[in-house]
Amino acid sequence: MKFPDTVKSVAEQHGIDTNSIVLELTETIILDGNKSAQSQLKKLSEYGFRLSLDDFGSGYSSLNSFFDLPLNQIKVDKSIAWRSVDNPTTYEYLKFITQLCKEHSVDIVIEGIESADMQRKFTEMGVSYLQGYWFSKPLTIASASQYTQV
């Protein structure tokens, strides 16, 4: 059984809606140009799984092939977020990526938010989600369930 079918089967066995599962991918999926991996990602997307590219900007992400994949979300690495606070060019790059994602209905998450200033800047930029210690340290399932239904 291929990976997409296995993951779908596990979700069904446990009664979990595939739309509520986000699978995080590394950017090597994009760089490899691996047709098998790309077809599996398309199958996962067809099954309803949400696909997220993690740590965008920490390596060699290619915008050329980025939108060829059925991604629902990208998570911008905290290193590029932090750099953008003091570097206008990096800030403009993130602003461009955010606009591009919005135009393609891809959510953008900025990781590493550690101050009110960062929260304000990225909220004004129009990103979909923010995460970082400014909001909370990482939580256990038990702790997180106080804030949301798990």
Side-chain angles (χ1 to χ4, degrees):
M1 190 180 273
K2 292 183 179 180
F3 179 73
D5 296 326
T6 301
V7 176
K8 182 181 179 208
S9 176
V10 169
E12 288 172 347
Q13 286 174 359
H14 294 281
I16 301 171
D17 183 3
T18 56
N19 288 312
S20 66
I21 298 174
V22 178
L23 301 173
E24 292 191 5
L25 316 165
T26 62
E27 57 186 30
T28 54
I29 294 295
I30 289 177
L31 296 176
D32 289 348
N34 182 331
K35 296 295 181 193
S36 173
Q38 290 176 4
S39 67
Q40 290 186 52
L41 292 176
K42 287 182 179 164
K43 180 59 83 176
L44 287 164
S45 180
E46 289 169 9
Y47 286 159
F49 292 98
R50 297 186 40 81
L51 304 175
S52 176
L53 178 64
D54 194 25
D55 295 332
F56 181 83
S58 65
Y60 303 98
S61 301
S62 169
L63 291 178
N64 188 36
S65 59
F66 178 75
F67 292 107
D68 291 339
L69 299 173
L71 298 172
N72 303 98
Q73 178 185 88
I74 66 167
K75 294 178 80 176
V76 174
D77 187 68
K78 65 182 178 184
S79 63
I80 195 169
W82 292 348
R83 201 172 29 235
S84 74
V85 171
D86 297 320
N87 183 321
T89 303
T90 305
Y91 182 82
E92 288 301 316
Y93 172 72
L94 274 183
K95 198 171 171 180
F96 168 75
I97 295 297
T98 299
Q99 185 59 40
L100 197 57
C101 285
K102 284 176 133 179
E103 290 171 7
H104 287 86
S105 300
V106 174
D107 288 334
I108 186 163
V109 179
I110 303 286
E111 299 177 320
I113 303 301
E114 294 191 358
S115 69
D117 184 50
M118 289 179 82
Q119 178 184 0
R120 181 188 51 76
K121 279 185 173 186
F122 294 121
T123 298
E124 289 174 359
M125 184 185 286
V127 301
S128 310
Y129 301 99
L130 302 171
Q131 77 179 56
Y133 281 99
W134 176 249
F135 306 105
S136 174
K137 64 180 181 173
L139 301 172
T140 64
I141 289 178
S143 297
S145 66
Q146 295 177 29
Y147 302 103
T148 185
Q149 292 181 341
V150 178

